[in-house]
Amino acid sequence: DYTASAAEPATATAGDRVERVDIGGRKLQLLTRGEGSPTVVIEAGLGEPPIESGSWRAVLDAISRSNRSCIYDRAGLGKSDPPPKLPRTSRDVADDLDALLVKAGVPGPYLLVGHSWAGNHLRVFAGRHPEKVLGVVLVDSAHPDQDEKWTAVLPAPSPDEPESVRKIRELFATRADPATNPERIDFRASEAQVRAVGGLGDKPLVILSHSSKFRYDPGLPEDVSLKFEAVAQQLQADLKRLSSNSTLMQSLNGGHYL
């Protein structure tokens, strides 16, 4: 999940167009910068208001030299209005994004960039609007099978187990409850939607993965962390199957925020 310490506060940059766009009785905040096709649409990770956080500023600066780039705050984040109903699913997010791009007049085709859990949202978007999508970049993306796979490699519960193991087991058990995450996303319903939309055909897909040195929870025993990391890299490799034109690149030193 996003935390405020993950990024420095954003500063206004000349060339940014920031607007609150009405998508049908409520507004989402959108930042657009640069010109040129394809339009790069960035979907930030769970709970992050990226226009305020500034965590994508360097990426926007680089991309906008040659391409139009967009980033936005999902419903209920930053200066975007709250969603009309809770819990939310990846389909709700994908539908909001489509309405936002249409209402704001942002031209396609779109190169979609999704970080962490947002990778699931963009897979649903691409499945629902294939004609609008040129390609996809998944940045240390979530996988719909990750909680199940990670739970399977945890040791059996024991009275003297480390607190870190107990807590992460509880996390995977409770994430099915939308009340446990900042955007009230129904993980299980969303994961089912992701599986249902299938792959990307032959559209270009680039998968960027964190370094094998990275640890999701530094407090976990190293033997458990190594099992977690093995699963994580297996799942990143599995994402390659989404397209016949896919590339997987692993960072040498980067963590979850590549």
Side-chain angles (χ1 to χ4, degrees):
D1 293 3
Y2 167 76
T3 57
S5 61
E8 294 298 319
T11 54
T13 301
D16 285 351
R17 178 184 176 188
V18 180
E19 56 188 323
R20 295 182 73 243
V21 179
D22 192 323
I23 63 167
R26 57 193 173 92
K27 294 181 178 181
L28 300 181
Q29 182 172 229
L30 171 70
L31 184 155
T32 307
R33 190 172 186 205
E35 297 292 338
S37 183
T39 298
V40 179
V41 178
I42 297 170
E43 189 84 60
L46 184 70
E48 177 171 5
I51 296 175
E52 281 74 24
S53 76
S55 65
W56 287 87
R57 171 55 62 191
V59 176
L60 288 168
D61 287 348
I63 293 172
S64 63
R65 295 183 193 127
S66 57
N67 294 73
R68 179 182 287 102
S69 55
C70 299
I71 200 161
Y72 78 108
D73 296 333
R74 286 187 295 274
L77 298 177
K79 294 180 181 176
S80 290
D81 292 338
K85 64 179 180 65
L86 294 172
R88 303 265 284 163
T89 68
S90 287
R91 185 176 299 158
D92 294 325
V93 173
D95 289 348
D96 274 7
L97 176 57
D98 185 52
L100 175 64
L101 296 172
V102 170
K103 294 287 188 180
V106 178
Y110 305 125
L111 175 61
L112 305 178
V113 180
H115 175 233
S116 193
W117 230 91
N120 286 328
H121 302 328
L122 292 188
R123 286 176 61 180
V124 173
F125 182 98
R128 289 171 69 77
H129 306 285
E131 75 287 354
K132 299 184 179 184
V133 178
L134 180 70
V136 177
V137 179
L138 296 177
V139 183
D140 216 38
S141 174
H143 187 291
D145 297 338
Q146 66 185 23
D147 284 6
E148 177 186 354
K149 299 286 189 183
W150 276 334
T151 299
V153 300
L154 284 172
S158 65
D160 57 348
E161 69 181 3
E163 181 75 1
S164 58
V165 173
R166 183 186 65 79
K167 284 185 175 180
I168 206 157
R169 184 184 291 108
E170 287 181 356
L171 171 66
F172 295 148
T174 59
R175 282 216 291 206
D177 179 0
T180 62
N181 68 72
E183 295 184 57
R184 303 298 186 263
I185 297 291
D186 186 328
F187 277 27
R188 300 301 171 252
S190 297
E191 288 161 353
Q193 292 168 357
V194 174
R195 295 185 189 101
V197 297
L200 300 167
D202 62 355
K203 293 183 188 296
L205 168 66
V206 175
I207 301 144
L208 306 178
S209 170
H210 65 255
S211 167
S212 59
K213 303 172 188 175
F214 173 68
R215 297 292 180 260
Y216 282 103
D217 182 351
L220 284 173
E222 183 64 4
D223 63 323
V224 177
S225 285
L226 289 173
K227 291 177 181 177
F228 262 45
E229 186 54 31
V231 169
Q233 295 306 330
Q234 288 167 6
L235 294 176
Q236 293 297 297
D238 183 66
L239 293 172
K240 286 193 68 180
R241 298 189 302 113
L242 294 173
S243 171
S244 60
N245 183 13
S246 62
T247 303
L248 170 61
M249 302 174 70
Q250 184 177 16
S251 172
L252 292 176
N253 297 296
H256 189 48
Y257 276 79
L258 288 170

